[in-house]
Amino acid sequence: MTPALAIDTLRVTFEDFVALNDVSLTVAPGESFGLVGESGSGKSTLLRAVAGLAPIAGGTIEVNGQRLDTRRSKAFYRQVQMVFQDPYGSLHPRQTVDRLLLEPLAIHGFADTERRIVRALDEVGLGSGFRFRYSHQLSGGQRQRVAIARALILEPSILLLDEPTSALDASVQAEVLNLLEEVRAARKLTFVMVSHDLAVVTHMCDRLMVMQNGSEVELLTSADLAGRNVGQDYTRNLLIASEGFRRSA
Amino acid sequence: MSTLLEVEDLRVSFPTRTGVVEAVRGVSFTLGRERLGIVGESGSGKSQTGRAIMGLTPEHGQITAKKLEFSGIDLLKASKAQRRALRGNRIAMVLQDPKYSLNPVMTIGRQIVETLRAHEKVSGAEARKRALDMLAAVQIRDPERVFDLYPHEVSGGMGQRAMIAMMLVADPELLIADEPTSALDVTVQLEVLGILNRLVAERGMGLIFISHDLRLVSSFCDRVIVMYAGRIVEELPAGELAHAKHPYTQGLLNCMPRIGADRHPLPVLDRKPEWAL
Amino acid sequence: MPARRANRRAWALFKSVAGFLVIVATTYLGLLAVTFFIGRVVPIDPVLAIVGDRAPAHVVERVRQEMGLNLPYYQQFILYAKGVLQGDFGTSVLTTNPVMTDIRRVFPATMELATVGTIIGAAFGIPLGVLAAVKRGSLADQIVRILGLIGYSVPIFWLGLLALLVFYARLGWTSGPGRIDVVYEYTFTPVTGFYLIDAVITRDWAAFRDIFSHIILPGSLLGYFSLAYISRMTRSFMLNELQQEYIVAARAKGLSETRIIWGHALRNAAVPLVTVIALSYAGLLEGSVLTETVFAWPGLGLYITNSLQNADMNAVLGGTIVIGSVFIAINLLSDVLYRMLDPRTRS
Amino acid sequence: MSETAMTRREWLLTDRPQSRLQARLGRAYVTWRRFTANRLAVVGMLIIVALVLVAIFAPLLAPHSPYVGDLAGKRLLPPGDDHWLGTDDQGRDILSRLIYGSRLTLQVVVLVAIIAAPIGLLVGTVAGYAGGWVDAVLMRITDIFLAFPKLVLALAFVAALGPGIGNAIIAIAITSWPPYARIARAETLTVRNSDYISAVRLMGASPWRIVLRHIMPLCISSLIVRVTLDMAGIILTAAGLGFLGLGAQPPLPEWGAMIASGRRFILDQWWVAAMPGFAILIVSLGFNLLGDGLRDALDPRGSGQ
Amino acid sequence: ATPADTLVQAWAIDDTITLDPAESFELSPAEFIGNTYNMLVRLDIDDTTKVKPGIAESWEISDDGLTYTFKLKPGIKFASGNPITAEDVAWSFERVVKLDKSPAFILTQFGLTGDNVAEKAKAVDDTTFVFTVDKPYAPSFVLNCLTATVGAVLDKKLVMEHAQATTPSDDYKYDTDFGYAWMKTNYAGSGPFKIRDWRANELVVLERNDNYYGEKPALARVIYRHVKESATQRLMLEAGDVDVARNLEPGDLEAVQKNTELASTSAPKGTVYYISLNQKNENLAKPEVREAFKYLVDYDAIGATLLKGIGEIHQTYQVKGVLGALESNPYTFDVAKAKELLEKAGLKDGFSVTFDVRNTQPVTGIAESFQQTAAQAGVKIEIIPGDGKQTLTKYRARNHDMYIGQWGMDYWDPNTNADAFTSNPDNSDDAAVKSLAWRNAWDIPELTKQVQAALLERDNDKRAELYQKLQQEALETSPFVMIFQQIEVAGVRGNVKGYRLGPSFDSNPLAPVSKE
Ligand SMILES: Nc1ncnc2c1ncn2[C@@H]1O[C@H](COP(=O)(O)OP(=O)(O)OP(=O)(O)O)[C@@H](O)[C@H]1O
Ligand SMILES: Nc1ncnc2c1ncn2[C@@H]1O[C@H](COP(=O)(O)OP(=O)(O)OP(=O)(O)O)[C@@H](O)[C@H]1O
Ligand SMILES: [Mg+2]
Ligand SMILES: [Mg+2]
Ligand code: NI
């Protein structure tokens, strides 16, 4: 079976700075794959490189068996979509939800826009009451739902999620995570999800990669992590830290 | 334990064009030389509570309280100058994000010295020495170097330490920390908390620790206040978090994913209108 | 490893210097081309400036040939560019001096005036802007705003003449048009061309007083215009800074409002203000034609306009290049100042 | 929820608009309310509205002919009963000239705005979004225009095109777009790497689509503000050109030209220059107040708190 | 206040572009040169139809009218101390002719060329200079021409010390520049004052010439400050920062006249203002239209307002005071008459026409007034304002419809204006002589011949008659609507004595001026 996403020795540099250093990974269709690591370790850069938003200096990316050019085709964007970290920054401040959702349909020339918009809003649990609101009239969680709806409206097979809940309250986080799981199940999507929160990643993903300074530290399954079965000290430290403050420490 | 701060029926409201927004609606608590955590979701009024105590409520905001007393001083009656003299000297506050809360065009050293000199008449050399000591106390390895650095030249964790040093250099009795670590990486977060913990213990300060992370607060503080929509819905000792009674508190605890616990879907918080009453 | 880093740094330095040179060179080339183009499209016969209206036709023809105006345009441009590249801006038809000599004479006059104007504008504009921002919405804010807006909106030659009428003719508080009284014309020796400085250098205090009383009126007038701009920008920068978190932090430290406003907020607002002041300075340098007319000030603005009206393109080009250079230099300087004031940009 | 129970205001202010139109109107209404909360801004707007009305109804309002005067009998009369604002050096009624001149003033500012602002907007956004050599080339051109003494440039253009109000407008427009380009570029730079633009890119939108439909609308509000604030400058530049004889053609009652021709009498017949001066002052003030108000209303950051 | 021995004048001197008499042809330098140089003969400002001795003590004209012999005053010196000899005179003539700058034609029209000038303008001995002309011109014409600044006598020794060598070419066949480069900014004359300093657009400083042979001026120094604005000049005059203001407009002039501390003086100048109608425009080419336009100027109103004090209505092209000037102002503002004429021309409903107008006063005001009055007869005039040089460029290229112009005499003789207004030897586009008549495409072979004839009429009275005839003809048929003759005015502080203005700019004398 061809992997949904195959990355081989991917390298991204910003001027002289190496943000991603020869990272390789494969994600099977329908799999949910996690990326963890401290701030600046290159997690977002990896996703952006796949999406064509970061300059690729070396290596290859294959999506559903097809190698990507530097210039992405329109067809590519129907396979791969992305949800960004900051719900306050990823929606155009001057556009209504309706307009936001219409845009991808217009670009790709879909005909039955009305039906699709209504369905997409339903799918993310926002009634049509939200359709003509501006983003500033929405809460963080609602915004993130709109962003997810926007990503899904083109019916991609791969969804890239860059810390989709880190800006949200814990209670809202749960709702969004649940929503993501639902749509994944319903649409048989492949997820690549970034988070700095180990708990979130293990909750959502089957396998995960730990990153540091733009390189891979190790590849683990969620079960490994739950069983504290990790190979590297760096990962172990992350694990300990995620358990909260210990007074004696 | 002597009481340091007494708050009774604190209310903060903001007149806006669409009506009056009540950010804090009758909050009461007392604080001794202990660590008090305030948790609650975004917009629940945690920060405004802290700022009201500091006297940093935005100008058009209105504060009322039956009692707002800091070690015998009635803060509501105190003049502007008196309050200013208290701030930084006896009550201090650490803000969330060092990236925004340090003055970008001043060296870290100068900003620390400035606090000191605003409250005490000390010579330049003396002030510098005390600032360096303070930097060392927040476990900065090379204080001499960091003293002359600008905020953008240090990492987030380092900046937050500098912020703490700046706020503690005049030896306050009460420290309000408003989400002091939520902008930091998990590993760094713990280090900073460790420092705070030690300073509070050593200097015998009172601490109000504001955060939205229930688990973090309960592991760090002695007592926890849970706020919802400007009110306190529950107050409990940190250790008894597991036995929280209020459904809001319970919901907050439950909805977080846990490593190893396989809960699909996650339980979600079902807000009840009566909580806000 | 360190060697490589040093190398890289040298390379980066080289790149930025080279980039800067390319920018300056292309800007100059653009200025040159545009000026040349203007010289050709202006429907004024440059020969007229030399021979006048009453010259016989054969003299007109001869002068036209002497000036090379019968050559094809591209040849004229090459000749023109060649001269300029060799630092020869030619002679001004109107004054018969080499253009650079003229400019060396008129430019300090304009620069002195603009400097005084900017100093006045900044000295009053910044505090007023700060005041308006701190007391946002108050009466003081409105007054500063209206004062500034009037400065934006009033025709300068009108205000200039009124000022002359009041302060010079009626009250006699200041001296009149010109840079210096004729009495001093032959005792006072210009050194740098900046008369105030020259008077200090030569310790001619009587002359200094006279020069000062001449410059104060046009200087204040220009100062008012730059005040209008500076106070407005100061206000908006200050409002922005006062919203920042570090102001809250400064308050939390117990600093006095004065210190917070002047020491923290303004210190940060100063960073973009430098650019604003530089821009307003540049604006005064080139935009003072009308003031110069009213105050009989022998400056660059008049020189360029006059030259343009006579199609004296050498002079126009020289003046333009000088203003362009000063513009570039001011930009550069404000960049440097920006860097000095804002530690984030030095790394 | 029943429609009838809703007041119009509630309908506009609802956070659950039912249609595109309602959403748009609601947004406009909020902006309008924010704007009207600023009293000075309302004053500014009233001034501009008055200007427009005066321009429209000039023939009804003007008591005399703006063009025909009585050189021999009524020259340079001080303000009085028949001529409220006095007469000029051709014996024409200044008030009538001012009233008709409002048409020209409007024409100047409107035309400059619709020529210069779009040029600046396009150059700035394209340069900012494209980056690389496109940016370098466009910005170089902008810099050259900026480094060029503005008056020389305007004079040259007017000289080349021939004098007259239309050409003065073109000349002013040509010299005033570079700052707009800079603003638009700066704004574009801040948003071009934002997530919401990345999101549009991820949809497969072409660069042109992104610039035209997503970036430009963002720059427009700050541009509108800036243009409004520049109006005074534009009127004054037109006046300055008029002062140098390159603006409006006589006998057009262009305010700047009126000041220019009246300035000869400033010491003895002050009203000839002062009246158009006041007119310019008031209208500029109006535009400035309006611009200030618009800035507060359109910029969500500066408002509210 | 100004120093007691210094006269400070505020004046727009931005037209000074050279101080070399061989090249200078503008107004303000004429005054500087007139006061700092000497010519063979000078204009008598008390009777402007006459000339009086300058450097020449006396002169004789041969019977055939071709040879003029000048006897120089003995023992006189240049400001440098060098003696003035006939050789200096001859050399000055040679220099003018060989350099051949704008005003050179004033001398070369007598048949001088680079090749023959040495023969035709010759020093016989130290004090005798002989000038030979090619035709028996009217002596008044020749002598009048010699009063022009181009006839200034230069200090040959001094100038040649600063001369630069040049390489001869087809255009310029001489190996020296005759001190041309140096003379642009320097001085080598013998007048009552010498030029000490000239800073373009800033100031000109004249200083007493202690070597002057005549009566020494009372003033040690005269300073001209460049001030353009009339209002500014007036303020400076009132404040006492200048002693004389030279560009006062009617309103300011009136105020000066009312001020008891100030006085004013004025003199008609040799400059006329006119509206010209390009005959290339078919409407304007109709004789009735030309005449009608002369009825459409509101002369009285303009004269009483816009020109008050600075000009007087003058409908002929020769200025008052010059030989043969015709005093006749037959036209008045008469719309009915104009309409009648237009109807005769088949333009009953009027027509549209453009009007190039320089953006200075009083021409703009006159143009606007004309625009209004012409509209009454149905003529729609579109004014095209422009900078001076710009409208002039267009005018010289005959691309205008109407133009409002100003014409200053080249030298104080009726020929100059007759030649400009009523002579057009060749009306083709590439004509060699481009007079004002040519610029307006007014083809007048007959009048051109008359102008030539007047030049050779040696009897002054007859000559005057010829010119009057020419003017009468122009008055009726020319495409020139003559409007006024300029009056130069100066506001003067009360303590200045002896300040007066002459008929031409080179005859505004400073030597008699003193201050109390
Ligand atoms: N456009 C860019 N230009 C220069 N450097 C960049 C750019 N984008 C990212 N980087 C650098 O690349 C490194 C990796 O960044 P990245 O955003 O991928 O980190 P991350 O793992 O997502 O961190 P975080 O958890 O903070 O989001 C960082 O050091 C960052 O500074
Ligand atoms: N200046 C203000 N004007 C009007 N309302 C305000 C103002 N500042 C705060 N509020 C409102 O007060 C309420 C409480 O705000 P506060 O900042 O205390 O929340 P918080 O609990 O600190 O939330 P967070 O976790 O997001 O920091 C919010 O609903 C907020 O909208
Ligand atoms: Mg990231
Ligand atoms: Mg908060
Ligand atoms: Ni009337």
Side-chain angles (χ1 to χ4, degrees), chain B:
Chain B
M1 202 157 29
S2 61
T3 42
L4 204 54
L5 180 73
E6 270 182 274
V7 180
E8 200 182 325
D9 197 23
L10 175 70
R11 289 169 185 274
V12 180
S13 56
F14 297 100
T16 67
R17 225 167 277 127
T18 44
V20 175
V21 172
E22 289 208 286
V24 180
R25 307 185 300 158
V27 164
S28 309
F29 62 88
T30 57
L31 176 80
R33 301 198 179 271
E34 61 179 330
R35 284 167 295 202
L36 175 71
I38 303 185
V39 288
E41 64 188 4
S42 185
S44 56
K46 309 180 296 285
S47 296
Q48 289 307 331
T49 306
R51 289 188 181 208
I53 297 166
M54 283 300 287
L56 292 178
T57 308
E59 248 167 69
H60 61 290
Q62 279 163 0
I63 307 179
T64 57
K66 293 221 177 78
K67 195 170 191 182
L68 188 60
E69 227 176 70
F70 170 75
S71 70
I73 304 168
D74 185 345
L75 291 178
L76 288 176
K77 296 226 176 74
S79 70
K80 272 194 172 164
Q82 274 174 308
R83 296 209 71 169
R84 191 168 67 228
L86 283 178
R87 278 203 295 271
N89 192 14
R90 300 185 61 189
I91 317 178
M93 180 162 171
V94 177
L95 299 169
Q96 174 173 5
D97 196 337
K99 222 167 46 205
Y100 299 113
S101 46
L102 288 171
N103 187 337
V105 299
M106 257 190 208
T107 59
I108 285 171
R110 252 189 78 192
Q111 297 191 50
I112 300 176
V113 166
E114 200 183 25
T115 315
L116 198 57
R117 304 192 84 175
H119 300 290
E120 289 173 48
K121 276 213 149 45
V122 288
S123 69
E126 161 81 12
R128 184 184 163 90
K129 194 186 155 298
R130 282 193 36 200
L132 287 174
D133 288 348
M134 197 64 227
L135 282 174
V138 294
Q139 296 182 5
I140 284 177
R141 247 161 278 144
D142 189 357
E144 294 274 356
R145 189 178 71 88
V146 173
F147 188 92
D148 288 321
L149 292 181
Y150 284 95
H152 73 278
E153 293 170 318
V154 301
S155 69
M158 191 99 95
Q160 197 56 294
R161 282 174 229 210
M163 180 84 192
I164 294 171
M166 180 168 98
M167 287 307 175
L168 292 186
V169 70
D171 248 329
E173 292 152 59
L174 170 61
L175 180 69
I176 301 172
D178 190 354
E179 314 221 15
T181 58
S182 55
L184 305 178
D185 262 356
V186 262
T187 38
V188 185
Q189 184 172 12
L190 292 186
E191 282 176 45
V192 171
L193 287 181
I195 292 164
L196 266 183
N197 184 39
R198 206 168 45 91
L199 288 171
V200 171
E202 281 172 8
R203 302 185 176 212
M205 284 190 302
L207 172 72
I208 298 179
F209 185 87
I210 298 173
S211 169
H212 60 265
D213 189 335
L214 193 52
R215 219 167 311 151
L216 187 72
V217 169
S218 65
S219 63
F220 180 70
C221 295
D222 306 316
R223 240 173 357 122
V224 180
I225 287 175
V226 184
M227 285 184 73
Y228 182 76
R231 284 179 180 282
I232 297 181
V233 294
E234 191 162 14
E235 180 176 345
L236 69 174
E240 288 169 37
L241 200 62
H243 312 296
K245 291 187 198 68
H246 200 278
Y248 176 64
T249 320
Q250 287 171 348
L252 273 189
L253 270 171
N254 262 331
C255 68
M256 283 195 276
R258 243 168 277 152
I259 297 179
D262 198 14
R263 297 179 303 162
H264 295 273
L266 287 166
V268 295
L269 194 66
D270 189 13
R271 288 181 177 74
K272 300 256 161 43
E274 61 264 27
W275 297 349
L277 293 181

Side-chain angles (χ1 to χ4, degrees), chain C residues 54 62 96 105 177 185 310, chain E residues 17 25 100 199 202 389:
Chain C
R54 297 174 295 170
R62 180 156 40 82
T96 69
R105 190 163 53 82
E185 200 63 70
N310 286 289
Chain E
I17 56 170
F25 210 20
D100 196 17
R199 274 181 261 150
E202 209 174 323
K389 292 276 169 13

Side-chain angles (χ1 to χ4, degrees), chain D residues 41-42 50 69 83 85 91 95 102 105 111 114-115 141 166 188 201 203 228 237 246 270 292 295:
Chain D
V42 175
H83 300 279
L85 302 183
L95 175 64
S102 61
T105 301
L111 283 181
I114 63 176
I115 298 173
I141 294 173
T188 306
R201 275 212 270 164
M203 257 134 232
T228 326
T237 310
L246 302 172
W270 55 269
D292 261 12
R295 168 170 39 210

